[in-house]
Amino acid sequence: MLDLSRERRRMVDVHLSRRGIHDGEILAAMREVPREAFVDPGYEEFAYEDGPLPIAGGQTISQPYIVALMLEMAEIGPGDQVLEVGTGSGYAAAVMSRVVDHVYTIERHAALAETARRRFQKLGYGNIEVRTGDGTRGWPEAAPFDAIVVAASGPGAPLALQQQLDVGGRLIIPVGDDPDEQRLLKVTRTGASTYSEEDFGGVRFVPLIGEQGWREESRPGIARTMPLARPRSLPEMIAAAAEPLLDVDDPGFAEAFDRFADRRIVLLGEASHGTSEFYRARAAITKRLIERHGFTVVAVEADWPDAAAIDRYVRGRGPSPGADRPFQRFPTWMWRNTDVAAFVEWLREHNDKVKALQPQAGFYGLDIYNMRGSIAAVLEYLDRVDPEAARVARERYGCLTPWQTEPSTYARAALTKGYRECEKAALEQCRDMLARQLDHAGQDGDELFDAAQNARLIASAERYYRTMYYGGSQSWNLRDTHMFETLERILGARGPNAKAVVWAHNSHIGDARYTEMGISREEVNIGQLCRQRFGDAAALIGFGTHAGTVAAATDWDGEMEIKSVRPSREDSYERLCHDAGIERFLLDLGRDPKLRDRLTERRLERFIGVIYRPETELHSHYADASLARQFDAFVWFDETRAVTPLGPEHAAGGMPETYPFGV
């Protein structure tokens, strides 16, 4: 059910204040007055869209922005006495009544006047008087007025209304004889018989009928007109469609993401590997999907053996004998940071509470890099369950041993005959582990699944590092295909109803077919493969930022630095979001077809990984993309800050001293 009070706040935040309405009294009044009470039955759900709506008598209720603009132009304030010409639904008069001392409003349609009067009474707005009659004559006995607002277009500003202004009073009226566009005029009384005028641009209103307006028989040839706003810019379109988000730490932050709860897979991106807001937002969304909607898989762009150590911890299985502390390999800050540690602690507490009632949520790594850790995990398992198999595995893996710590160097030796045999050995070991998995199904499922996946990783990693030697797109495709297949296997292991949340970089979860990756380099990624395999059951959600700080290195295997993120380029998607003027928001790219069409146009998008080089940012970190085809939704944080890596000080502050994030 639509939360109209929330939509009212959104209307004020997005359609008004972000578009230049700054009068605090008017904004407060529009937060208070329920616009749904002033629309015809059946239109309530549209009450807070920024558009006019039809009412009886061929009239309209003006769009919220035009109401706010005219009232701000009129400079209304406490203690004022105001005249409105054209009561219509009564909404504008109701808003004014929350600001000024007294409102007089005239409507020529008796039925509209009576309906408005009943609405005011029901809402308890006792400082509004309604009259049926010719508004062009004004309300002489109540004059002078501090402001007069006319909600219909006349051939000029009626003399009677000008004369009923107090000195210093303002008359706001659309004027002109063109049925398609009039000019919004502000007339200020400067003396007993002197006035000044200001033109505020094009609008479109119903005609002002009356003695000093249009005659009924000579009215402009339009049956129903609506306010005409200038064509909205793309940032304004984004602002209108964006759903402002609460602070990440607010319990209500993740509510907006309930719309994706029916998906099998929700993929949550990030525009860098070192931004706190991205990690904290993904954690908040994931917590809600786990607690409220039955998700049991958290699959991340991390190495399988390292994530397996976290999984053992959060599911209360105890550390694996002889296992290394997780996430010791570059870039350590990507997963060894305070935001991830806080989420891991929450996941453990959640699993402790639900383990007797429902399936626990697991934490899994999808990535391919940690060949050394995977070999160790396979051998540790086999040492316990089958020492002879462990001896055979050691022989098979022996040819990889010199490169376990820095496996990318393996590619340089992979062209020799002896080392080409490693591929065969790794594949044989993988097949043996898979056969063992089938033979022992149901006996020690989690342990065996972990070891079998490590065997798969070794075989994939062998191909990956060898392929790196040649360059091109093949190594990327091997890596992302491995991650996708790992995700499929995790879902299969967790059961037919398992649902997963994936944490990975935008470059992995945004459909590659609509980025420079797929178009120019023929690369695939997890997002594309998920869409092709799961269709609408997969939701691809990107994240972005304009400026701030980020944790990153200058070179691979370099020291982590806190770097300033340059403000986004003017020709980028990020600049469009920044210019929308909203601090943080969710942009559902399926809600507004016109906006979606505009956001399919290719433009630059920023990608910061573990390396950030601001001095060559255009070349190093921007690529062409089609945002609306790449993602189903986009989460925006205008200014962000770097993650905080775990250090010795965190062990003393309540973190486990040795497991899983021992420092």
Side-chain angles (χ1 to χ4, degrees), residues 536-583:
D536 291 340
L540 280 53
I541 305 173
F543 285 65
T545 186
H546 169 65
T549 60
V550 67
T554 300
D555 296 295
W556 187 265
D557 220 17
E559 293 294 325
M560 189 206 82
E561 305 171 50
I562 303 300
K563 301 192 174 195
S564 294
V565 177
R566 286 190 170 186
S568 56
R569 288 178 56 88
E570 292 185 0
D571 50 354
S572 68
Y573 281 116
E574 287 82 3
R575 181 55 64 92
L576 293 177
C577 292
H578 170 70
D579 289 347
I582 304 173
E583 182 179 359

Side-chain angles (χ1 to χ4, degrees), residues 10-11 14-16 19 30 35-36 38-40 43-55 59-68 89 91 204-205 225-229 232 240 594:
R10 175 178 176 271
M11 174 194 75
V14 175
H15 300 317
L16 305 183
R19 291 180 63 189
M30 295 187 80
R35 192 169 187 251
E36 69 271 18
F38 293 88
V39 302
D40 286 355
Y43 285 93
E44 291 87 353
E45 65 177 296
F46 306 109
Y48 296 104
E49 296 298 323
D50 191 35
L53 295 171
I55 58 176
Q59 307 298 298
T60 63
I61 175 174
S62 295
Q63 69 189 87
Y65 174 73
I66 209 72
V67 171
S89 69
Y91 176 67
R204 190 178 180 192
F205 276 81
T225 60
M226 295 184 177
L228 177 70
R232 290 189 296 176
K594 291 183 180 179

Side-chain angles (χ1 to χ4, degrees), residues 312-362:
R312 299 179 73 91
Y313 177 73
V314 300
R315 291 204 275 165
R317 292 163 53 205
S320 179
D324 291 335
R325 290 179 299 174
F327 305 121
Q328 296 296 312
R329 184 179 57 79
F330 176 88
T332 55
W333 67 89
M334 182 173 166
W335 297 109
R336 291 182 64 81
N337 63 63
T338 56
D339 298 321
V340 172
F343 174 72
V344 166
E345 289 303 316
W346 176 89
L347 196 56
R348 179 181 171 92
E349 292 172 5
H350 167 80
N351 284 336
D352 284 345
K353 288 188 292 187
V354 305
K355 61 184 177 183
L357 304 173
Q358 63 192 61
Q360 293 180 315

Side-chain angles (χ1 to χ4, degrees), residues 27 31 50 135 203 291 293 335 349 355 382 574 592:
L27 294 174
R31 285 192 186 95
D50 191 35
V203 289
E291 285 187 313
H293 304 293
W335 297 109
E349 292 172 5
K355 61 184 177 183
L382 291 177
E574 287 82 3
D592 185 339

Side-chain angles (χ1 to χ4, degrees), residues 362-656:
F363 189 91
Y364 305 91
L366 300 178
D367 217 339
I368 203 170
Y369 285 131
N370 195 346
M371 188 192 299
R372 180 170 59 92
S374 288
I375 289 175
V378 171
L379 294 177
E380 185 274 327
Y381 173 77
L382 291 177
D383 281 337
R384 286 187 288 114
V385 302
D386 191 337
E388 178 58 25
R391 184 189 64 77
V392 173
R394 280 186 170 86
E395 290 180 3
R396 288 173 173 173
Y397 290 149
C399 62
L400 294 175
T401 301
W403 292 276
Q404 288 177 21
T405 301
E406 185 48 61
S408 62
T409 61
Y410 169 69
R412 291 194 290 273
L415 299 182
T416 68
K417 181 178 183 296
Y419 284 95
R420 282 199 296 270
E421 296 299 319
C422 284
E423 178 178 17
K424 179 181 177 181
L427 291 173
E428 286 178 359
Q429 185 62 43
C430 183
R431 282 194 293 269
D432 286 354
M433 290 298 300
L434 291 175
R436 185 179 294 274
Q437 186 175 24
L438 292 174
D439 291 341
H440 295 80
Q443 294 182 17
D444 56 351
D446 285 336
E447 299 284 347
L448 189 56
F449 178 73
D450 179 37
Q453 181 56 33
N454 277 304
R456 288 190 189 94
L457 188 152
I458 295 163
S460 295
E462 195 281 335
R463 293 194 303 275
Y464 174 80
Y465 288 112
R466 181 160 39 82
T467 303
M468 282 175 65
Y469 183 84
Y470 298 99
S473 64
Q474 191 176 0
S475 60
W476 174 279
N477 290 347
L478 279 172
R479 181 186 175 201
D480 268 56
T481 300
H482 170 87
M483 289 199 283
F484 171 72
E485 291 173 349
T486 300
L487 176 62
E488 282 195 302
R489 292 187 183 103
I490 295 167
L491 287 171
R494 293 305 302 261
N497 297 319
K499 297 195 292 184
V501 184
V502 175
W503 294 13
H505 196 275
N506 285 351
S507 58
H508 293 292
I509 68 103
D511 193 326
R513 292 172 294 181
Y514 306 108
T515 70
E516 193 174 300
M517 295 163 48
I519 295 169
S520 302
R521 302 198 297 269
E522 298 183 341
E523 293 174 345
V524 300
N525 64 4
I526 304 172
Q528 172 185 339
L529 296 172
C530 280
R531 273 186 174 170
Q532 291 173 332
R533 169 66 176 81
F534 296 101
D536 291 340
L540 280 53
I541 305 173
F543 285 65
T545 186
H546 169 65
T549 60
V550 67
T554 300
D555 296 295
W556 187 265
D557 220 17
E559 293 294 325
M560 189 206 82
E561 305 171 50
I562 303 300
K563 301 192 174 195
S564 294
V565 177
R566 286 190 170 186
S568 56
R569 288 178 56 88
E570 292 185 0
D571 50 354
S572 68
Y573 281 116
E574 287 82 3
R575 181 55 64 92
L576 293 177
C577 292
H578 170 70
D579 289 347
I582 304 173
E583 182 179 359
R584 53 185 171 269
F585 62 76
L586 169 65
L587 190 62
D588 189 331
L589 293 165
R591 293 188 67 181
D592 185 339
K594 291 183 180 179
L595 176 60
R596 189 180 190 282
D597 287 345
R598 293 293 308 277
L599 293 179
T600 61
E601 301 167 4
R602 287 179 63 183
R603 65 179 66 230
L604 292 178
E605 181 182 333
R606 182 160 56 190
F607 299 86
I608 300 173
V610 295
I611 307 298
Y612 182 47
R613 295 170 177 159
E615 66 279 4
T616 60
E617 191 178 60
L618 176 60
H619 174 74
S620 304
H621 301 291
Y622 278 97
D624 284 339
S626 170
L627 192 79
R629 289 181 175 147
Q630 186 184 5
F631 302 113
D632 298 303
F634 195 66
V635 180
W636 179 252
F637 294 93
D638 197 63
E639 186 170 350
T640 50
R641 59 184 174 84
V643 295
T644 301
L646 289 176
E649 69 275 15
H650 298 105
M655 293 288 181

